[in-house]
Amino acid sequence: MRLLIIEDEKRLAENIAQALREAGFAVDHAADGITGAHMAVQDIFDAIILDLMLPGKSGKRVLTELRQTKSRTPVLVLTALEGKETIVDLLNSGADDYLAKPFDLGELLARVKALIRRAKGVSSTIIQVADMEIDTVRQTVKRRGQEIDLSPMEYRILQYLSYRPRAIVSKQELLEHLYDFEWEHHSNVIEAHISNLRRKLNLQGTEPLIETLRHRGYRLSEEASS
Amino acid sequence: MNKGSSITRRLITAVLLLEGLAAVLLIVAVIVNEHQDEYSAFDANLRASANAFLGAVQEAEDSSPNIGLDLRRIPRTPHAIYQVTDGEGHILGTEGPVPQLTIEPDSFRRVKIHGHSYRFFALDGERVVDPGTPSAVVHQVHILYGQPDGRVWHEIWEATRFFMVATAILLGVTAVLLVWMIRRLLAPIHVLASEADKVNSVHWSFTAPEVAMHLVELRPLASAIERTVNRLQSSFEQQKRFTRDAAHELKTDLAIVKSSLQLLTMKERSVEEYGKGLDIALEDFTRLEETVQQMLTLARLEQPADALAPRCALHQVLQDNVTQSASFASLKKVILTASPVTPVFVPVDARDAALLCSNLIVNALQHSPDHGMVEIALRSDGTTATLTIRDHGEGIAEEDRPHLFEPFYRGDPSRSRKSGGTGLGLSICKAICDRAGGSIEIDNHQAGGAIVTVKLPVSNPEA
């Protein structure tokens, strides 16, 4: 999952970014409203964390403009402003959630995860695909009750695919959503991770879960157990 | 409402007093006039009666050359007193208690008889017996005639009574009208008051009511209230904005500190990671402390000044700060020059002066490009010390100019908090200058860069 932080306070953005990266997200940062708005409209983020008081362009304007482009990316607003009106106003402008500063980093993580789950149409923290079970809180994967040890990147790819079962997910999409701009990446990293993932998931007597469609992408199939 | 301080009451009292005084004077004038009229009529009557007595003096019935009084031709007047005497003092006729009087002939005199006021007239005449004959005898006749004049006073009273009653009624009617009219006339004051009463910290709009603005006397008051409310509103808004911005600033700094520490606790880390994290958290904490410190400084500076006038040698403070800033300047590869530095004393606390100098120098250094130059000069013309600090940076944007001294205002938004500083530096500088009765201005130099001009009054070094 890839997140965008639009926050002018550098130290705060650094802390949030680090916490999110440690939680397995790819994170990009914009330090002002104009850059933030530019980045937000590219449909590559799974959630946006938006500060209200931004130089260049206010957080509220960024939000309004984002919603005008019909973007459905969930937005969590960080605010240091008091008052019910601002909150009501924000939610009406298209914010999905808000947190008042100074906030709890753990709460921020939980809310961001919940926003992404909801946006992907999943309400539970445990995703079930065929005979595989993904616990998004503990970040563990089980197949037929047997725990499978995955690297963080492998887990992220699997989780991303599991949010879109049966859909074909292109390599480009995976790259966009799983790596941020700071990451040195090559297009073949995905292939390597998928290959490892397939190998680890392939237990004795089971069908392969991940299909590769040449030049098109990958698909997580649900009928694997049959 | 306090009785003693009611304008309505005072106005009514004043007008009624004047009306009453006018009425009394008028009545007195009428009485005096009536008195004169009545008395001249009365006197004419006395004179006529006396003349009638003179006419009644005739030759005596007998053939003597004496004279007598023939009363048959005299109309009888009740209470009349008279005495007719001839030249030898013989009384020709008398009636009533004639008082012993000596009155100049042909004049009037008032006399009290038995408690009644009488007015007497004395007439001297001659009576010639057998005129035109050689035996004609001239007789001197003295007539004293008097009548009670109480009736005259009665007449005067009768004539003026109606007038007095009418005046009293008029006075009453005008008093009622006056109360009503003054209430009506003063209504705009009440309208103005109730409009002013609506102003509170939430509802600031005050528009002077039309009725009040129409009145020449109320217009200055109404517009004064309007101006005061506007001034209050803007200073209230400023305070509110400051509180809001301060809260935002503190919350942001707190959020950083909190998140830095929470980040450390999110998972097991190595000792080095913890150490580094704590260092960063401490740094964040220092900035929070700085923000609080600066807010307190600003709050202190905005308090009224102490009775004891401070004083410091601005040239020394400036030199010290230039020396202290040298390392920061060399780090930024900026040349820092201070010339001329005229020795001058200003009524500023030494610590505040140092704060002023260091804030302005650091500010100039921050806005200087690498290999730039910051020129400082301190001049004095004996009454005003002028400190100028010029950098060769990008200068100030026109739209920032009115806000530069506002707390938490950051000129270049894209630089934001990263360049350090809480956004209170210039506000503190302004507060220091204001407190000393000086001024501070920022302008763009014609040759590029910003120039800060601080003007402070010079204080006497011996004082």
Side-chain angles (χ1 to χ4, degrees), chain A residues 16 25 33 55 62 84 86 96 118 134 152 157 162 183-184 197 207 211:
Chain A
I16 298 171
F25 292 99
V62 173
K84 274 243 154 18
T86 8
D96 297 271
R118 241 178 286 148
I134 304 172
I157 292 170
S162 71
W183 215 289
E184 281 289 330
L197 196 54
E207 296 290 314
E211 273 181 78

Side-chain angles (χ1 to χ4, degrees), chain B residues 4-43:
Chain B
S5 60
S6 158
I7 291 185
T8 316
R9 233 173 277 269
R10 285 184 191 184
L11 270 177
I12 291 170
T13 314
V15 172
L16 285 185
L17 270 176
L18 282 177
E19 262 190 22
L21 187 68
V24 167
L25 286 177
L26 200 63
I27 287 167
V28 167
V30 166
I31 288 174
V32 167
N33 182 46
E34 199 68 23
H35 180 268
Q36 258 174 0
D37 281 1
E38 289 290 332
Y39 264 94
S40 56
F42 186 70
D43 288 352

Side-chain angles (χ1 to χ4, degrees), chain A residues 9 11 15 22 82 105, chain B residues 251 260 262 269 280 417:
Chain A
E9 181 45 56
R11 284 288 305 121
N15 284 346
E22 282 174 8
E82 294 286 347
L105 213 47
Chain B
K251 280 180 183 173
S260 295
Q262 278 183 336
R269 290 172 200 279
I280 292 173
R417 292 172 58 120

Side-chain angles (χ1 to χ4, degrees), chain B residues 241 396-406 409 430:
Chain B
R241 194 167 53 235
I396 50 164
E398 200 52 46
E399 66 261 31
D400 293 337
R401 192 194 282 264
H403 309 290
L404 283 173
F405 296 104
E406 282 176 16
Y409 186 81
K430 183 162 165 45

Side-chain angles (χ1 to χ4, degrees), chain A residues 17-37:
Chain A
Q18 199 186 335
L20 289 170
R21 284 198 185 111
E22 282 174 8
F25 292 99
V27 182
D28 285 298
H29 170 227
D32 64 89
I34 296 162
T35 324

Side-chain angles (χ1 to χ4, degrees), chain A residues 154-199:
Chain A
E154 286 159 6
Y155 171 80
R156 275 187 243 169
I157 292 170
L158 185 62
Q159 191 189 358
Y160 191 85
L161 289 175
S162 71
Y163 279 139
R164 309 187 56 189
R166 278 173 296 170
I168 299 170
V169 179
S170 72
K171 201 161 72 180
Q172 183 62 31
E173 189 179 337
L174 283 175
L175 275 173
E176 277 176 357
H177 283 265
L178 299 175
Y179 292 92
D180 52 45
F181 288 134
E182 286 179 21
W183 215 289
E184 281 289 330
H185 58 261
H186 308 282
S187 58
N188 59 356
V189 290
I190 297 287
E191 282 156 34
H193 283 307
I194 292 274
S195 151
N196 286 340
L197 196 54
R198 219 192 246 127
R199 187 173 44 79

